[in-house]
Amino acid sequence: MEKTKRLFIAINLPIELKRELFEMKKEINSQLGEEYAKVKVFKWVEMENLHLTLKFIGEIGDGQIPKIIENIENIVKSQESFEIKTEKICYDNEKQCQLIWLTTEKSRNLENLAKNFDEKNYSGHITLARIKKWVFKRIEPEERPSISRDFDKKIPVKSIELMESVLKKTGPDYKIIKSFNLPPHQ
């Protein structure tokens, strides 16, 4: 039986930005108060795992990976490096969203790149935390925290990565299978 891997295509973040977001996590946790820390409403993404997903591929047999790599190489040839601007860290209490994320401005370059991977109506965001639904439901709606804070940064996009997600009890481990450099912007 062929071995499988759980794959996705991502833009990895510069380490400086990952550190800033990790510090922001501490700030948000302290603002939420002890009761949220005790019940661990939020499962924060590990600093090294922060990324922007372009496409979740799913479980793929090892024999299919060379074809995926070839497809990404062909897509990357027609792209140039670019920048993404971030906007704010938030979640929508009204929609009972299950994520805290960092939103990005609309970017034609990012949307075009995502369309190459058949991602229609793509909306770039970086997941910072997942909200434990069963805990969150126990909190009265009017007592749920509000999280909305500006976070204006630029992310240089010089490469994309084919990543593997290995699920563990402690959370996912991500590793780069292959990195694809984008040609410099002309």
Side-chain angles (χ1 to χ4, degrees), residues 17 34 37 39 72 125 140 144 147 160-161 178:
L17 181 60
E34 283 184 39
V39 293
I72 297 171
H125 71 274
E140 294 297 324
R144 291 178 183 156
I147 299 171
I160 61 173
E161 282 74 37
K178 183 163 173 110

Side-chain angles (χ1 to χ4, degrees), residues 18-90:
K18 288 181 179 187
R19 285 186 184 124
E20 280 186 68
L21 289 168
F22 189 74
E23 290 303 314
M24 192 65 66
K25 164 193 150 181
K26 291 180 192 175
E27 223 176 277
I28 290 170
N29 270 340
S30 69
Q31 288 175 351
L32 294 175
E34 283 184 39
E35 64 188 76
Y36 286 94
K38 282 181 191 171
V39 293
K40 298 183 179 178
V41 173
F42 304 109
K43 168 80 170 98
W44 292 92
V45 174
E46 296 295 327
M47 185 175 75
E48 61 275 4
N49 284 347
L50 293 169
H51 68 277
L52 188 148
T53 301
L54 287 170
K55 179 168 183 69
F56 179 73
I57 298 170
E59 293 286 334
I60 298 294
D62 282 346
Q64 295 175 282
I65 293 174
K67 183 66 175 163
I68 291 170
I69 289 171
E70 182 182 331
N71 288 340
I72 297 171
E73 286 172 338
N74 288 330
I75 289 169
V76 166
K77 287 177 191 174
S78 65
Q79 300 295 314
E80 291 183 337
S81 59
F82 61 96
E83 278 186 341
I84 301 170
K85 292 182 182 175
T86 62
E87 292 182 310
K88 64 182 179 175
I89 294 172
C90 59

